[in-house]
Amino acid sequence: MQDYEDYPATVISHAKGVWLYKKDGAKILDAISSWWVNIFGHGNKFIAREIKKQAKKLEHVIFANYTHESAVRLSEKLSGLFDHRLPKIFFTDNGSSAVEVALKMSFQYRQIVGETRRTRFAYISDGYHGETVGALSVGSLGLYKKIFEPMLMDTLEAPGPDCFRCPYDQKRYTCDAECFEKTRRFLAEHSQVLSAIIIEPILQVAGGMKIYPAIFLKKIRELCSQLNIHLICDEIASGFGRTGKIMASHHAQITPDFVCLSKGLTGGFLPLAAVLTSNEIFEAFYAPYLEHKAFMHSHSYTGNPIATRAACAVMDLFEKTNILKKSLKRGDYIRERAQKFLSHKNVGEIRSIGMVTAIELVKNRKTRESLDGRNRTGYRIYRRAESKGVLLRNLGDVIYFMPPLVIKKKEIDFMVDVAFDSMRKILK
Ligand SMILES: *Cc1c(COP(=O)(O)O)cnc(C)c1O
């Protein structure tokens, strides 16, 4: 709150496309999709209309023994995301609770099938999976976790990739994921007690927009199958076209055992999340009621009709508008324009995939030594850029672009130029 004393919160009155408007008409370009949720731009007419229709028809109904058209339609569409290999869908209402569900389902599956020693969960370094107690327990970032450590589950952090500071001196797209050997050894060592490992496929978002190659993901899929460890892919931020494919897991052509979806699922209109899983997992829970094998987990707003209708609209738009193909070109253009950052000595790396481009600022490009965090350099760049009309919201000293997929060329020019000028001004 102290930050706000000399920097009051910005009041937004309305929004359209990539633009947020203040009451006085001043506008700010939303370069981060309002924390990674917006896909088709603010105020998308089609999604808004579908929501209106649904609200008038059926706003909510109990989702136990009752269902409705939007939930059914959405389930069919989401099942199609992984070629119907993950046809069983569980709805919740935010990303963290989707992660909780995936963890609990994996755990209960082990109990039911008699693998009762498999009670633990792993995650990889720099992973982030939300901030409720279970989700936080499988997160790696000390910033969110440290103070709560005594109340969290006893989880295991497996070594993950770190392409910018690769200890093997390899390049991101030509390596053979040499670093995976460490991950393999770690998981093999704990394989008897592990229920699942959770990872963000290809793009570790909150961890600083870290991008790793598909080969790492392929290897972890193979290993999990060998060791009988469930693979949970958290596509909450990476899904819905951000990386140039509808799901980031598709880069590695893998099928996880569980997939968590949220954020872009409703195009940034309403809170909704889903967990996808396989028939095989489902079958374990399938039994006469009195055997008590059912998955006991519920939320009051599970399968909310308005939220699921918004998500149906998003899936319709992906089918109808060719947005993925178009966004690939826009992503290329952002990458091309962002190259000018390299002229600055404090730019350590520009990394990019699909519609995401991140710039990591460092003290020394050669040694890749980080900037002194106490200077809050990224934060100061964010503030400067906002005053010039671009919402950047840094992740530490990583500045990134993750705009709605519909951003136009001119808007990209403005976004990149303001970010670049702000960086130069702050870093001199
Ligand atoms: C945002 C995020 C979550 C948590 O979702 P919430 O809806 O904020 O609880 C989980 N995993 C990833 C990868 C995320 O980016």
Side-chain angles (χ1 to χ4, degrees):
M1 292 312 292
Q2 279 195 12
D3 273 353
Y4 293 115
E5 280 166 22
D6 66 339
Y7 182 53
T10 307
V11 182
I12 297 302
S13 80
H14 61 288
K16 189 85 215 142
V18 299
W19 297 101
L20 308 171
Y21 292 87
K22 299 195 224 176
K23 224 176 181 169
D24 63 7
K27 56 181 191 174
I28 301 167
L29 192 152
D30 186 355
I32 59 151
S33 300
S34 279
W35 254 338
W36 327 329
V37 299
N38 194 289
I39 303 281
F40 289 97
H42 292 275
N44 179 281
K45 283 212 175 94
F46 178 66
I47 303 173
R49 229 175 12 237
E50 289 294 298
I51 287 174
K52 185 177 167 189
K53 279 191 213 158
Q54 184 66 51
K56 284 182 166 173
K57 199 171 155 195
L58 172 67
E59 83 299 334
H60 190 64
V61 64
I62 177 175
F63 205 60
N65 284 53
Y66 283 76
T67 188
H68 54 85
E69 197 183 325
S70 295
V72 173
R73 206 157 80 81
L74 180 60
S75 301
E76 282 161 3
K77 285 185 181 291
L78 294 181
S79 164
L81 287 174
F82 285 85
D83 278 338
H84 305 284
R85 287 189 297 269
L86 302 175
K88 298 299 177 189
I89 320 277
F90 191 99
F91 290 114
T92 71
D93 35 44
N94 63 77
S96 302
S97 70
V99 168
E100 304 280 344
V101 163
L103 298 175
K104 282 178 72 179
M105 270 189 192
S106 171
F107 183 92
Q108 186 172 339
Y109 172 91
R110 302 301 183 185
Q111 296 298 309
I112 296 173
V113 302
E115 296 171 347
T116 49
R117 280 186 65 204
R118 295 189 180 273
T119 56
R120 299 186 72 190
F121 295 92
Y123 56 92
I124 60 170
S125 45
D126 292 322
Y128 173 92
H129 304 286
E131 284 158 68
T132 53
V133 174
L136 194 59
S137 300
V138 290
S140 159
L141 308 178
L143 174 66
Y144 308 105
K145 187 175 188 179
K146 195 156 177 271
I147 196 154
F148 299 105
E149 209 75 76
M151 68 182 282
L152 300 181
M153 295 176 345
D154 188 17
T155 52
L156 293 159
E157 176 165 320
D162 185 1
C163 299
F164 176 43
R165 296 184 174 86
C166 178
Y168 303 89
D169 248 344
Q170 298 289 319
K171 293 261 180 293
R172 192 176 275 115
Y173 294 117
T174 52
C175 79
D176 192 36
E178 282 77 1
C179 59
F180 187 75
E181 220 20 65
K182 273 192 180 165
T183 318
R184 178 195 307 281
R185 247 179 284 143
F186 184 90
L187 292 177
E189 194 183 315
H190 298 283
S191 67
Q192 301 301 311
V193 297
L194 278 174
S195 185
I197 180 167
I198 182 165
I199 78 171
E200 290 164 277
I202 303 294
L203 177 67
Q204 294 185 291
V205 190
M209 294 293 162
K210 297 198 165 157
I211 300 169
Y212 64 86
I215 177 95
F216 187 92
L217 196 55
K218 270 191 192 136
K219 287 187 176 187
I220 209 161
R221 170 68 280 183
E222 276 166 31
L223 183 68
C224 284
S225 299
Q226 274 169 27
L227 299 177
N228 181 21
I229 299 168
H230 291 148
L231 177 65
I232 304 171
C233 276
D234 178 350
E235 291 263 15
I236 290 166
S238 60
F240 297 100
R242 296 291 179 199
T243 67
K245 297 199 186 276
I246 186 96
M247 292 286 123
S249 312
H250 293 357
H251 287 282
Q253 293 155 319
I254 57 156
T255 308
D257 299 294
F258 298 92
V259 172
C260 299
L261 304 174
S262 191
K263 294 208 163 101
L265 177 56
T266 62
F269 272 70
L270 286 165
L272 179 70
V275 178
L276 279 50
T277 193
S278 63
N279 277 323
E280 189 212 323
I281 301 279
F282 171 83
E283 291 297 333
F285 292 77
Y286 184 77
Y289 179 79
L290 289 177
E291 286 182 23
H292 297 298
K293 287 185 179 170
F295 183 58
M296 285 297 168
H297 187 104
S298 59
H299 293 287
S300 312
Y301 279 100
T302 293
N304 176 260
I306 307 177
T308 48
R309 180 78 172 256
C312 285
V314 165
M315 296 302 287
D316 288 342
L317 285 173
F318 268 107
E319 284 164 23
K320 281 184 200 155
T321 60
N322 212 9
I323 182 92
L324 273 180
K325 224 175 179 178
K326 283 186 206 154
S327 78
L328 284 180
K329 284 206 190 102
R330 292 175 187 137
D332 284 343
Y333 188 62
I334 297 174
R335 249 182 303 288
E336 183 191 318
R337 289 300 320 272
Q339 290 312 307
K340 70 172 172 176
F341 277 86
L342 276 179
S343 64
H344 197 284
K345 66 177 176 29
N346 289 114
V347 170
E349 181 183 56
I350 301 177
R351 46 183 176 261
S352 189
I353 186 165
M355 282 294 278
V356 179
T357 293
I359 295 131
E360 179 154 346
L361 303 173
V362 292
K363 195 166 178 179
N364 182 320
R365 183 183 288 174
K366 266 225 175 74
T367 63
R368 292 166 206 177
E369 186 190 344
S370 303
L371 287 168
D372 184 344
R374 284 170 305 186
N375 291 334
R376 300 184 78 188
T377 308
Y379 174 72
R380 286 188 295 140
I381 294 170
Y382 148 64
R383 274 180 66 158
R384 167 100 196 163
E386 204 213 67
S387 73
K388 302 290 171 196
V390 176
L391 168 55
L392 285 178
R393 194 84 203 192
N394 59 301
L395 285 164
D397 291 323
V398 175
I399 300 293
Y400 66 92
F401 306 115
M402 191 166 172
L405 305 191
V406 295
I407 191 170
K408 299 188 182 91
K409 218 167 164 184
K410 265 204 177 127
E411 294 165 339
I412 292 173
D413 289 338
F414 179 73
M415 171 179 82
V416 174
D417 290 346
V418 167
F420 183 68
D421 291 344
S422 304
M423 177 195 70
R424 264 204 318 206
K425 196 80 188 173
I426 298 297
L427 282 166
K428 297 295 180 323

